[in-house]
Amino acid sequence: IRTTLDKVTAYNPADQTTGILFGSTETLRIDSDLTRTIGARLFGVGQFNSLASVGITLDKNGQMQVDNDKLQAAFTKDPESVKALFSDPKYGIAKKLSDTIDQLAGPKNSMLVARADALSTTIDNNNDRLTLMSASLDKQRDSLLAQFNALESTVAGLKNNLTALQSLQIIPPIASGSKAIGS
């Protein structure tokens, strides 16, 4: 989990690239909730009340480390308590991790399901807006085409009128003081 979280939230300053979930609050919550659960004290499981008490810890990079000698010593000292630490159906680490994972990614009311639903709603809303905008653009295009066709008709009519005007011959004016007819 740690390796995957590091990969999807990575930032490379050399080429300024990021992982697909860089800056995601969901990945931060997954990391913190799982780390808190793994490092938590568990009560009602016997003398070993944490994974650290049996030699299982997280290193500075969040990777799980096992101290085999400490784990073996705990198991030799009280095997039932070690078993209860891991598998007690009410208080064991397996139950706590299962509950944490269900809160994060379970099928009902989990953080990731809620986020996926919110993203799905956003996508649906954006698709609806795209449909409305497309219809609006289609209407605007039709209106502009109608205006263009009307202008083309007007220009064609003006060209015809200009051609007709150019074909007219100029009639010379009648001069004053001309000779009378018949003289």
Side-chain angles (χ1 to χ4, degrees), residues 56-97:
I56 300 172
T57 58
L58 297 176
D59 67 13
K60 65 179 182 165
N61 296 320
Q63 296 289 334
M64 194 173 280
Q65 301 297 314
V66 178
D67 180 339
N68 289 326
D69 294 336
K70 192 171 183 180
L71 181 58
Q72 186 61 46
F75 191 75
T76 302
K77 183 176 182 180
D78 187 356
E80 288 303 313
S81 190
V82 173
K83 180 181 173 187
L85 173 68
F86 285 98
S87 61
D88 184 89
K90 192 172 184 181
Y91 303 110
I93 190 66
K95 171 69 171 144
K96 300 297 182 185
L97 280 171

Side-chain angles (χ1 to χ4, degrees), residues 1-176:
I1 292 172
R2 172 81 270 142
T3 303
T4 301
L5 284 174
D6 287 346
K7 180 181 174 187
V8 298
T9 61
Y11 172 70
N12 183 341
D15 60 5
Q16 295 187 348
T17 57
T18 62
I20 192 167
L21 297 175
F22 177 76
S24 163
T25 58
E26 290 79 16
T27 54
L28 179 61
R29 180 160 171 216
I30 289 169
D31 185 16
S32 66
D33 285 7
L34 289 175
T35 299
R36 188 177 335 104
T37 300
I38 290 169
R41 293 210 175 270
L42 306 172
F43 300 98
V45 293
Q47 70 173 317
F48 302 111
N49 61 2
S50 70
L51 288 176
S53 67
V54 295
I56 300 172
T57 58
L58 297 176
D59 67 13
K60 65 179 182 165
N61 296 320
Q63 296 289 334
M64 194 173 280
Q65 301 297 314
V66 178
D67 180 339
N68 289 326
D69 294 336
K70 192 171 183 180
L71 181 58
Q72 186 61 46
F75 191 75
T76 302
K77 183 176 182 180
D78 187 356
E80 288 303 313
S81 190
V82 173
K83 180 181 173 187
L85 173 68
F86 285 98
S87 61
D88 184 89
K90 192 172 184 181
Y91 303 110
I93 190 66
K95 171 69 171 144
K96 300 297 182 185
L97 280 171
S98 178
D99 291 347
T100 299
I101 290 169
D102 280 346
Q103 289 174 355
L104 295 171
K108 295 181 182 176
N109 301 323
S110 68
M111 177 199 61
L112 293 178
V113 168
R115 180 68 175 144
D117 289 347
L119 289 173
S120 180
T121 299
T122 299
I123 289 169
D124 290 345
N125 289 341
N126 286 341
N127 285 335
D128 291 346
R129 285 181 44 210
L130 284 172
T131 300
L132 290 172
M133 292 171 101
S134 181
S136 175
L137 287 173
D138 287 344
K139 285 181 183 179
Q140 190 174 13
R141 183 188 68 232
D142 291 344
S143 172
L144 290 172
L145 281 173
Q147 288 177 6
F148 177 77
N149 288 334
L151 285 173
E152 282 291 311
S153 293
T154 302
V155 168
L158 289 173
K159 281 183 179 180
N160 285 339
N161 289 344
L162 182 61
T163 302
L165 286 174
Q166 288 175 343
S167 68
L168 293 177
Q169 291 186 359
I170 299 177
I171 301 174
I174 299 178
S176 61

